[in-house]
Amino acid sequence: MLDQVNLNQPDIDKGTYKETHDALIERLVTLQQKARLQGVGLVVLFEGWNGAGKGSRISDLMFNLDARATSVHVTGDFDADEARAFSDAGHNVTGYWPFMQQFWQALGPRGAITFYDRGWYSVAAERAMCRAFGGLNPKRKEGKKGAVRGDQLAARKEAGVCLASIREFERGLVDDGYEVVKFFIHVSAEGQRERLERLAADPTTAWRVDKKRLERIGNYEYAYSIYDLMLEGSNFAFAPWTLVNGEDKRRANIVIAQTLVRALESALARKEAASSVEPVSSGTPVNPADGAASSMEPVSPEVPVNSADGAAKQPPRFAAPATSRFHLIDDAPTLAGVDHSLSLLPEEYKDELKSLQKRLFRLENNMYQARIPLMVMYEGWDAAGKGGNIKRVAQSLDARAYTIFPSPAPTAPELAHPHLWRYWTRLPKAGHVGIYDRSWYGRVLVERVEGYASPERLTQAYDEINAFEKDLVDWGAILLKFWVEVSPDEQLRRFEERQSNPAKQWKITDDDWRNREKYPQYKEAIEDMFRLTSTSFAPWIILESDDKRYARVKALRTIVAALEDAGLSD
């Protein structure tokens, strides 16, 4: 694609440039305010060569835009030494955080503009080149004829993994009300060398050009092939590339301003057309104290849900998402196959609990040294025993090594972001444990049953969840998804016990009883969740919890086995 950029276009005279550029900026400032009021988010990536002028282009825009609704994320250099250290540890962990985590966290709310000064494509390209030169491939054989070819294949493979994550992320942003604009600022090898050497020679800018950047000038041809590969593989219809001549500042500024104006005009037109549809009441969060409304997000006017009869109308059974990226397993669990009679005698429970907790404590210490992240997620019926199960797991761990992430009703900033944002920003770093008391599955459970999300949005949600979990596993995380199951009869007994016991009455609410009346709707949603998100890399595990002792021991056994399967030993 880079060969499409004409680096030898005639200059634009100063008068024509000023008149054109000023008119575009005036229009852009007006559109920014409209987008802020309408809740249209704009994500703008500035990718390109070192020294191409990405920062200057962003600075020119920031000078004119409303800073209250604008943010800039500057991506640091990829740390090849850190990546090599993780790889040398012998485990498939690529860093302290997932590849996309810094970009997830920096994302501004809908209604704001988020600029990325070097974004996910820069990091992906650097990872690919690091693979090519052996930085993430300690077993690479030096000096053999096949080494270069093998390096190229490794680079392409790494780029492919990154692009798969990137596509899902950008697709999700567009589905969530963002417009994605991607600029690649292109310069020639000679142009790059001249700019970097000029910056290095000036004492006021020399700090911006370290030795590594100057050394990379010699890799221009190879980097060109990597960039071109990534551009061609990510020129999505919903988020296309705009290639910019970085050697002509005036022309670059005009192209960038024109592209942003068109993007906002298009997004606002779609928003206005969608707003003509009769809005639907978003209702109120369900059982926020217990976290059942973990991902409650009001439905926007453009996606009316069950407008005739509200939550009473259950969405149809969902087909599998049309994607080849995720392998859904054929033997996904089902509630119909649960044996509710499974139990442990008190003596067995006491002995096994003590033994498993000791093993988990030793394994967790080895996991910390190996820098492997562990994520344990709990969903389940009210009163199924999630809290008690979590306590027995946490009791086994060093208090400094784990974090319990509850899912209460979302805050206003969380509602202004994509559904997964509150979980993108709540991840354990490598070597630590994250325990989730309810999770990102609230969208396909509570929101589905309560009618807060359209069937179309729910179908997208299954794909987004699978993509998120694939990113976590690709990072190197051990991800365990527990469904804590209890029979309706046992749940009723526990409800009544809580209601009659003054010390436990705080655990039971009117919403618990209301949710119980919707058992058939929840059961259908759970079965679809199992079927559409039980993947080869993150299958569901049912904890049979009519006997809480049995469920607690099974959870500990499962966690211990997963850590041992990862090559750890106690």
Side-chain angles (χ1 to χ4, degrees), residues 13-92:
D13 68 84
K14 186 175 182 180
T16 301
Y17 167 72
K18 188 175 188 312
E19 181 181 355
T20 304
H21 185 256
D22 288 354
L24 286 168
I25 291 298
E26 184 178 348
R27 177 65 176 152
L28 183 58
V29 168
T30 301
L31 289 169
Q32 181 191 21
Q33 295 306 317
K34 290 183 178 179
R36 185 177 65 83
L37 294 173
Q38 293 295 322
V40 173
L42 183 62
V43 171
V44 186
L45 269 76
F46 279 86
E47 304 282 12
W49 298 94
N50 288 330
K54 299 179 293 294
S56 296
R57 304 289 73 74
I58 294 174
S59 295
D60 288 347
L61 290 167
M62 289 292 292
F63 178 78
N64 295 287
L65 294 171
D66 185 349
R68 297 170 298 177
T70 314
S71 63
V72 179
H73 175 75
V74 180
T75 302
D77 288 338
F78 176 67
D79 192 335
D81 292 334
E82 177 187 301
R84 186 180 297 109
F86 278 91
S87 182
D88 290 345
H91 298 284
N92 184 32

Side-chain angles (χ1 to χ4, degrees), residues 366-486:
N366 291 336
M367 182 196 79
Y368 177 80
Q369 295 180 62
R371 298 174 172 176
I372 297 176
L374 172 64
M375 299 177 67
V376 185
M377 187 268 290
Y378 285 84
E379 290 284 357
W381 298 104
D382 294 330
K386 295 182 294 297
N389 206 296
I390 289 171
K391 284 182 180 179
R392 271 63 181 188
V393 172
Q395 189 178 32
S396 315
L397 306 172
D398 187 318
R400 297 164 294 181
Y402 74 88
T403 303
I404 297 175
F405 298 100
S407 290
T411 63
E414 289 169 344
L415 290 173
H417 284 84
H419 160 64
L420 287 173
W421 183 77
R422 69 197 309 230
Y423 302 105
W424 290 340
T425 56
R426 297 176 185 175
L427 299 176
K429 69 179 181 180
H432 291 249
V433 183
I435 303 175
Y436 296 82
D437 185 356
R438 298 193 186 272
S439 71
W440 43 94
Y441 282 96
R443 166 142 289 181
V444 298
L445 293 175
V446 173
E447 291 190 28
R448 168 176 167 165
V449 172
E450 299 301 326
Y452 290 149
S454 68
E456 178 186 21
R457 197 68 192 93
L458 286 167
T459 299
Q460 294 165 348
Y462 293 116
D463 231 7
E464 290 168 5
I465 286 170
N466 287 334
F468 174 47
E469 293 177 352
K470 185 66 164 59
D471 285 341
L472 297 174
V473 174
D474 285 345
W475 165 42
I478 297 172
L479 175 61
L480 298 173
K481 303 188 307 192
F482 291 137
W483 175 262
V484 189
E485 172 64 10
V486 65

Side-chain angles (χ1 to χ4, degrees), residues 147-178:
V148 173
R149 181 179 301 171
D151 287 346
Q152 291 175 338
L153 291 175
R156 287 178 176 270
K157 182 179 179 180
E158 183 69 26
V161 170
C162 293
L163 286 180
S165 296
I166 286 168
R167 187 188 192 284
E168 297 297 337
F169 176 54
E170 292 180 4
R171 175 77 265 181
L173 288 177
V174 173
D175 290 341
D176 256 302
Y178 289 81

Side-chain angles (χ1 to χ4, degrees), residues 29-296:
V29 168
T30 301
L31 289 169
Q32 181 191 21
Q33 295 306 317
K34 290 183 178 179
R36 185 177 65 83
L37 294 173
Q38 293 295 322
V40 173
L42 183 62
V43 171
V44 186
L45 269 76
F46 279 86
E47 304 282 12
W49 298 94
N50 288 330
K54 299 179 293 294
S56 296
R57 304 289 73 74
I58 294 174
S59 295
D60 288 347
L61 290 167
M62 289 292 292
F63 178 78
N64 295 287
L65 294 171
D66 185 349
R68 297 170 298 177
T70 314
S71 63
V72 179
H73 175 75
V74 180
T75 302
D77 288 338
F78 176 67
D79 192 335
D81 292 334
E82 177 187 301
R84 186 180 297 109
F86 278 91
S87 182
D88 290 345
H91 298 284
N92 184 32
V93 181
T94 57
Y96 281 109
W97 304 104
F99 156 57
M100 290 295 296
Q101 200 266 353
Q102 63 171 310
F103 307 113
W104 293 338
Q105 190 164 0
L107 178 67
R110 286 181 291 271
I113 300 177
T114 308
F115 289 111
Y116 289 91
D117 182 355
R118 300 174 72 252
W120 37 93
Y121 290 99
S122 290
V123 175
E126 289 177 345
R127 283 170 59 116
M129 285 186 274
C130 187
R131 284 280 186 188
F133 295 117
L136 291 179
N137 187 8
K139 296 181 181 179
R140 172 178 176 262
K141 296 180 179 179
E142 300 285 352
K144 294 193 175 182
K145 290 183 179 180
V148 173
R149 181 179 301 171
D151 287 346
Q152 291 175 338
L153 291 175
R156 287 178 176 270
K157 182 179 179 180
E158 183 69 26
V161 170
C162 293
L163 286 180
S165 296
I166 286 168
R167 187 188 192 284
E168 297 297 337
F169 176 54
E170 292 180 4
R171 175 77 265 181
L173 288 177
V174 173
D175 290 341
D176 256 302
Y178 289 81
E179 191 79 5
V180 178
V181 178
K182 304 186 300 193
F183 296 113
F184 189 93
I185 315 298
H186 185 43
V187 294
S188 65
E190 295 77 12
Q192 185 194 36
R193 178 182 296 277
E194 179 185 334
R195 291 182 180 203
L196 291 179
E197 289 179 349
R198 186 170 65 247
L199 289 171
D202 187 337
T204 61
T205 58
W207 63 273
R208 294 170 54 187
V209 188
D210 58 20
K211 183 179 179 181
K212 288 183 179 180
R213 274 193 168 85
L214 292 174
E215 289 174 349
R216 288 176 189 170
I217 296 175
N219 294 331
Y220 182 93
E221 184 177 346
Y222 191 88
Y224 184 106
S225 68
I226 295 294
Y227 283 140
D228 215 41
L229 171 72
M230 299 196 71
L231 289 168
E232 290 179 358
S234 58
N235 194 33
F236 312 126
F238 52 84
W241 281 101
T242 298
L243 305 181
V244 179
N245 177 1
E247 298 189 358
D248 185 337
K249 175 182 175 181
R250 292 175 182 172
R251 192 176 299 278
N253 284 344
I254 287 176
V255 169
I256 289 167
Q258 285 174 335
T259 304
L260 294 177
V261 165
R262 285 197 297 266
L264 283 177
E265 286 177 340
S266 177
L268 287 166
R270 289 196 301 272
K271 185 78 171 180
E272 184 177 350
S275 297
S276 64
V277 180
E278 183 179 354
V280 180
S281 171
S282 63
T284 54
V286 180
N287 198 13
D290 189 43
S294 64
S295 60
M296 201 62 59

